[in-house]
Amino acid sequence: MIKQISSLFIVALTLTTFNVTAWSQDGHRIIGKIAENHLTIETRRAIYPLLQGDKLAEVTTWADEMRSNTADFWKYDSRKWHYINISSADEFKPAKYRITHNKGEVTDIYSGILKSIAVLESPNTSLEKKQFYFRFLTHLVGDIHQPMHAGRSEDW
């Protein structure tokens, strides 16, 4: 009887582990909904044109959904936007990032966040470009807070 209960417990634990570790669409959208609940009226007005008729929670998953796009950017370049690997906290040097709205390559999630903010803050950026970077930024903020998106290089 104890062996059967132990086996049942192990099976149940294994099945629930997959749901616990899943961040995916639900995790991103929950973060988006929480953020949406804290927006000021001024901020809601500012991001309204960037949402393109969607809700904030909905746009948070856009960057993952676009990964199936066959364009080279989505197949190759966008991957590095989703994570950062460093060996230690001492290795991370924020000052080395030289990102502006029109300069600087996105090499990891941190530079992707910096680039997105720079593009959004620039008065010279087109609405279309701001929409792209706003959607990406909402996703990256969720990604950087989840396991396996910010970690030690040797854990890869």
Side-chain angles (χ1 to χ4, degrees), residues 102-133:
N102 59 359
K103 292 182 184 171
E105 180 187 354
V106 174
T107 57
D108 53 43
I109 194 169
Y110 184 69
S111 59
I113 289 171
L114 293 177
K115 180 73 166 187
S116 297
I117 291 170
V119 168
L120 291 166
E121 288 179 337
S122 172
N124 301 323
T125 305
S126 70
L127 177 60
E128 182 181 1
K129 203 168 184 179
K130 284 187 178 192
Q131 290 167 337
F132 173 91
Y133 280 94

Side-chain angles (χ1 to χ4, degrees), residues 25-124:
Q25 186 180 60
D26 290 341
H28 282 288
R29 290 195 173 176
I30 289 167
I31 289 172
K33 182 61 180 157
I34 291 169
E36 191 173 60
N37 290 340
H38 294 280
L39 296 177
T40 64
I41 292 172
E42 182 181 354
T43 303
R44 287 180 192 276
R45 284 188 197 124
I47 68 169
Y48 181 78
L50 305 177
L51 293 170
Q52 298 174 281
D54 292 325
K55 293 182 185 325
L56 182 59
E58 294 168 350
V59 303
T60 62
T61 58
W62 173 82
D64 278 346
E65 293 162 3
M66 290 299 293
R67 291 173 110 172
S68 62
N69 187 305
T70 58
D72 283 349
F73 172 78
W74 294 107
K75 283 173 42 179
Y76 307 111
D77 298 333
S78 73
R79 290 180 191 169
K80 59 189 169 192
W81 288 56
H82 295 264
Y83 64 92
I84 185 170
N85 290 323
I86 55 174
S87 294
S88 69
D90 293 334
E91 180 187 313
F92 181 65
K93 307 283 186 216
K96 79 174 185 175
Y97 291 89
R98 304 276 188 244
I99 306 289
T100 67
H101 74 284
N102 59 359
K103 292 182 184 171
E105 180 187 354
V106 174
T107 57
D108 53 43
I109 194 169
Y110 184 69
S111 59
I113 289 171
L114 293 177
K115 180 73 166 187
S116 297
I117 291 170
V119 168
L120 291 166
E121 288 179 337
S122 172
N124 301 323

